[in-house]
């Protein structure tokens, strides 16, 4: 794992992984409970370039349609012949609109979508392969806070009208 730089090969701090623990209810067929704890060897040294992100406060409702969100990652950022084909060497980020599960189900009718997930959609931008696990953030209290993580989407990525799905770190239907 690396941290502290927008250049994928120039991280200020690097740590080896020591364990990974998938959610015990993870379902690869429905891509539900898409969470994993990664344990690193040692610890991060927090500074101006490396620090933890705050998680959104527990919410009893999902975000309304067209809530401004952001996501970032080093995944595919260009298409070749209509398919994702170029991995980013510099961190890519995008503004994307979070939408309700009901709105998302208008397109993904047969896909399992629950309150453990957050959909987001904006024409021309989306998360893509290689971005999985990356952040989905929303502004709260004047700062970007972690809402969820990149989970799944259309196989060709930025296909207009096909929202991406993110795993929510807090289920709005469960009291914390």
């Amino acid at each position: 794992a690396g941290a502290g730089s927008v250049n994928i090969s120039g991280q200020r701090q690097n740590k080896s992984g020591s364990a990974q623990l998938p959610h015990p209810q993870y379902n690869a067929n429905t891509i539900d409970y898409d969470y994993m704890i990664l344990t690193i060897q040692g610890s991060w040294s927090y500074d101006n370039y490396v620090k933890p992100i705050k998680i959104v406060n527990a919410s009893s409702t999902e975000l309304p349609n067209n809530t401004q969100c952001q996501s970032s990652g080093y995944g595919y950022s260009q298409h070749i012949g209509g398919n994702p084909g170029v991995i980013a060497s510099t961190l890519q980020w995008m503004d994307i609109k979070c939408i309700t599960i009901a709105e998302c189900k208008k397109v993904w009718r047969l896909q399992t979508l629950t309150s453990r997930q957050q959909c987001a959609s904006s024409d021309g931008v989306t998360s893509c392969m290689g971005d999985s696990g990356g952040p989905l953030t929303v502004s709260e209290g004047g700062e970007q806070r972690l809402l969820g993580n990149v989970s799944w989407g259309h196989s060709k990525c930025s296909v207009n009208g096909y929202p991406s799905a993110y795993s929510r770190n807090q289920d709005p239907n469960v009291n914390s």
Side-chain angles (χ1 to χ4, degrees):
S5 176
V6 296
N7 297 313
I8 196 167
S9 62
Q11 297 303 316
R12 293 173 180 271
Q13 297 181 44
N14 291 289
K15 304 291 176 191
S16 295
S18 62
Q20 55 186 17
L21 179 65
H23 193 284
Q25 291 176 274
Y26 174 69
N27 184 320
N29 294 322
T30 61
I31 318 174
D32 197 5
Y33 292 95
D34 191 12
Y35 309 103
M36 181 177 287
I37 296 172
L38 301 175
T39 304
I40 59 165
Q41 294 178 358
S43 58
W44 301 107
S45 297
Y46 297 139
D47 58 23
N48 289 338
Y49 302 98
V50 178
K51 61 183 176 181
I53 187 169
K54 294 178 183 175
I55 296 177
V56 295
N57 291 322
S59 173
S60 60
T61 60
E62 67 178 324
L63 297 176
N65 281 328
N66 299 317
T67 298
Q68 188 65 47
C69 293
Q70 287 186 334
S71 189
S72 59
Y74 294 101
Y76 286 104
S77 61
Q78 297 176 27
H79 282 71
I80 297 173
N83 292 305
V86 177
I87 288 283
S89 59
T90 302
L91 185 67
Q92 305 293 298
W93 68 272
M94 65 181 170
D95 291 323
I96 192 165
K97 297 196 188 282
C98 285
I99 60 174
T100 64
I101 293 298
E103 187 68 21
C104 197
K105 284 183 175 182
K106 290 179 181 177
V107 174
W108 295 110
R109 292 179 182 97
L110 302 178
Q111 186 67 38
T112 299
L113 288 162
T114 71
S115 59
R116 291 177 294 280
Q117 294 159 310
Q118 175 67 58
C119 287
S121 183
S122 292
D123 284 349
V125 296
T126 191
S127 299
C128 197
M129 285 75 78
D131 290 326
S132 294
L136 177 69
T137 63
V138 64
S139 181
E140 183 179 86
E143 63 186 347
Q144 290 298 113
R145 292 191 177 204
L146 186 65
L147 173 66
N149 299 88
V150 178
S151 182
W152 59 268
H154 194 283
S155 63
K156 294 190 183 278
C157 300
S158 63
V159 176
N160 291 346
Y162 283 88
S164 298
Y166 300 79
S167 296
R168 287 184 65 110
N169 291 318
Q170 293 186 7
D171 185 339
N173 290 340
V174 175
N175 295 330
S176 46

